[in-house]
Amino acid sequence: MAAAQGRSSDGADGMDDAKDSAQAEGRTGTGAPPAFRAAVDALRSARLRPQIEVEPTPAPQRLAPFAYALEAAVVDGDEDLADGRLVLLHDPAGHDAWQGTFRLVTLVRAELEPEMAADPLLPEVCWSWLTGALQARGLTYGEPSGTVTRASSHYFGGLSARPAASQIEIRASWTPREGLGGVPDTAAHLTSWCDLLAQVGGLPPAGPGDASVVTLPQRRGPQSR
């Protein structure tokens, strides 16, 4: 697989509501609850496999009282194999739909090889990659929901020289189990999410020595997409 071309509107659970980064950063400052600050600190300190490049990005403003967002890409040389966004939401009063006070929301995208795009079981397989990545690290979560979308593009006229392309897009959300002090293990959830990104991007499973990259921010300059 290769990374999906362009930046589509991130509508997973309202992810297209992102505002400027100054507003987003202000929602993780001293006015935020201790549980949320601890969850964000864990995201910032997570150590990930070298092929995953991650950086903070503006967070949605209208989904929850507090939010923090990251974007990531699976990089092989100068090529992005997959990309995505992960958003941590927090409502100290709780949320009936979440069945908790925290929620993780994600968007993952990649281009598909033609033979993979034609597989009728692809959506089910992609959803199982998400749930399998969480389960593989022993994470407990609730209220999962999402969509897997497969799209094809065909080019005509002045663009007819371009080959047809297919993309996969996973939009999902789940409620992480809260641990000591009401804080979920967000670092482990981020690591599992990066496992999903790597799998969608076509990388082999991470080995014992792969969790060795520096902490955030680590994203290089803009990549060609």
Side-chain angles (χ1 to χ4, degrees):
M1 295 184 183
Q5 299 295 316
R7 294 283 188 178
S8 64
S9 173
D10 296 347
D13 285 357
M15 289 175 69
D16 51 352
D17 291 333
K19 303 297 183 182
D20 62 77
S21 58
Q23 289 177 306
E25 190 64 26
R27 304 176 78 204
T28 63
T30 56
F36 180 69
R37 295 202 305 270
V40 170
D41 287 343
L43 288 175
R44 289 170 170 166
S45 63
R47 301 180 68 85
L48 311 171
R49 60 189 295 179
Q51 301 92 340
I52 308 290
E53 297 190 346
V54 184
E55 67 177 3
T57 191
Q61 297 294 293
R62 294 181 290 181
L63 300 182
F66 303 95
Y68 182 77
L70 300 169
E71 64 179 9
V74 180
V75 178
D76 181 14
D78 291 331
E79 183 181 7
D80 282 7
L81 302 178
D83 60 61
R85 184 187 300 178
L86 183 69
V87 177
L88 174 69
L89 304 175
H90 180 53
D91 187 341
H95 196 293
D96 289 342
W98 303 352
Q99 293 296 298
T101 63
F102 284 90
R103 188 76 170 170
L104 285 162
V105 182
T106 186
L107 165 69
V108 172
R109 298 173 298 202
E111 285 192 358
L112 299 173
E113 300 297 336
E115 59 273 17
M116 183 173 289
D119 187 343
L121 296 179
L122 180 66
E124 288 81 2
V125 169
C126 288
W127 183 257
S128 72
W129 287 349
L130 168 63
T131 58
L134 294 169
Q135 293 164 4
R137 295 188 179 272
L139 293 171
T140 304
Y141 61 95
E143 307 303 319
S145 64
T147 62
V148 177
T149 303
R150 174 173 42 189
S152 298
S153 299
H154 300 267
Y155 302 94
F156 301 94
L159 299 177
S160 59
R162 297 179 61 177
S166 298
Q167 298 84 30
I168 194 74
E169 182 177 271
I170 304 170
R171 296 175 182 264
S173 62
W174 64 95
T175 298
R177 181 176 64 86
E178 297 170 14
L180 186 64
V183 182
D185 189 352
T186 51
H189 280 270
L190 173 59
T191 303
S192 295
W193 179 71
C194 287
D195 291 342
L196 168 66
L197 265 179
Q199 191 162 20
V200 171
L203 294 185
D210 282 343
S212 59
V213 302
V214 297
T215 54
L216 301 177
Q218 63 190 68
R219 186 74 189 272
R220 299 180 303 179
Q223 302 293 306
S224 60
R225 301 187 190 275

